[in-house]
Amino acid sequence: MLDALTADDAQRRAELEAILFPGDDPWSAQAFRDELRAGHLYLAAREQGVLVGYGGVALLPGRLGQSSEAEIHTIGVDPAHQGRGTGRALLDGLLAAAAGIGATTYLEVRTDNEAALRLYRATGFEVLGTRRRYYASGADAYTMRRLPRSPDRGAPAPDPR
Ligand SMILES: CC(C)(COP(=O)(O)OP(=O)(O)OC[C@H]1O[C@@H](n2cnc3c(N)ncnc32)[C@H](O)[C@@H]1OP(=O)(O)O)[C@@H](O)C(=O)NCCC(=O)NCCS
């Protein structure tokens, strides 16, 4: 079951972040509150009321004929709860919001993050390029993209160019 992440979750989320992203500038509780204030969509997964996963996306509706874009900002699942479909459910929820505005979705992921890469590839993301030393640890990132899908067949929409 997913619901909205709120400012009350910021402390627990920062604790999870420190476990999940050590050495790569884990976000502080204040940084999360700022993200929520910026209006980005954040989803929470809870078990018996405890936050066990979270994911966030920035939705940028296209204006004046420009296409809409979405940027996955983060997704994380408590290690004790990984491998049970929570990450996939969170990502599906974020992608449903992106689909609602017909957005092309982008994200960055460490090139050595096998679990996340597999999850993203399975949901239709492809590698666009590599950003060298993107993370605080010096690790490289892939930029990945997922094209908007046509609502009837689930296939990528034709390239408008
Ligand atoms: C990536 C992450 C969010 C996945 O969450 P999860 O709840 O464990 O994932 P799910 O159980 O929903 O699995 C979904 C898919 O992810 C992939 N996956 C998950 N764990 C994996 C692992 N240990 N090895 C390889 N693939 C894995 C698989 O494709 C899986 O689908 P499948 O079970 O049909 O093969 C989680 O591993 C995590 O929080 N990692 C640390 C934080 C992180 O790296 N976030 C991404 C930053 S870009």
Side-chain angles (χ1 to χ4, degrees):
M1 290 291 288
L2 303 182
D3 63 10
L5 196 83
T6 73
D8 290 343
D9 294 310
Q11 192 56 45
R12 165 74 177 145
R13 191 181 141 176
E15 287 166 17
L16 286 175
E17 184 92 351
I19 296 167
L20 296 170
F21 302 104
D24 277 331
D25 270 351
W27 291 18
S28 66
Q30 187 54 47
F32 287 142
R33 289 189 199 100
D34 291 344
E35 277 269 298
L36 289 178
R37 221 170 283 132
H40 302 320
L41 173 71
Y42 270 92
L43 297 177
R46 303 176 200 278
E47 202 158 295
Q48 295 177 342
V50 177
L51 184 74
V52 297
Y54 55 85
V57 63
L59 299 170
L60 309 164
R63 293 203 179 88
L64 303 172
Q66 290 177 329
S67 54
S68 299
E69 289 187 8
E71 170 90 23
I72 304 282
H73 278 194
T74 185
I75 184 162
V77 174
D78 182 337
H81 294 265
Q82 289 180 6
R84 298 187 201 164
T86 306
R88 176 73 192 238
L90 286 162
L91 185 58
D92 284 348
L94 302 179
L95 291 176
I101 60 166
T104 298
T105 306
Y106 297 88
L107 58 80
E108 265 81 34
V109 57
R110 271 178 72 134
T111 56
D112 60 359
N113 191 339
E114 296 296 337
L117 279 167
R118 213 168 138 191
L119 170 62
Y120 296 143
R121 286 200 170 104
T123 46
F125 283 89
E126 58 181 358
V127 171
L128 270 191
T130 305
R131 302 180 77 162
R132 300 279 171 214
R133 304 185 65 78
Y134 179 77
Y135 295 99
S137 61
D140 299 339
Y142 288 134
T143 296
M144 300 187 84
R145 178 184 69 179
R146 182 180 187 271
L147 295 173
R149 309 227 160 179
S150 65
D152 51 346
R153 292 187 301 120
D159 192 325
R161 284 168 298 169

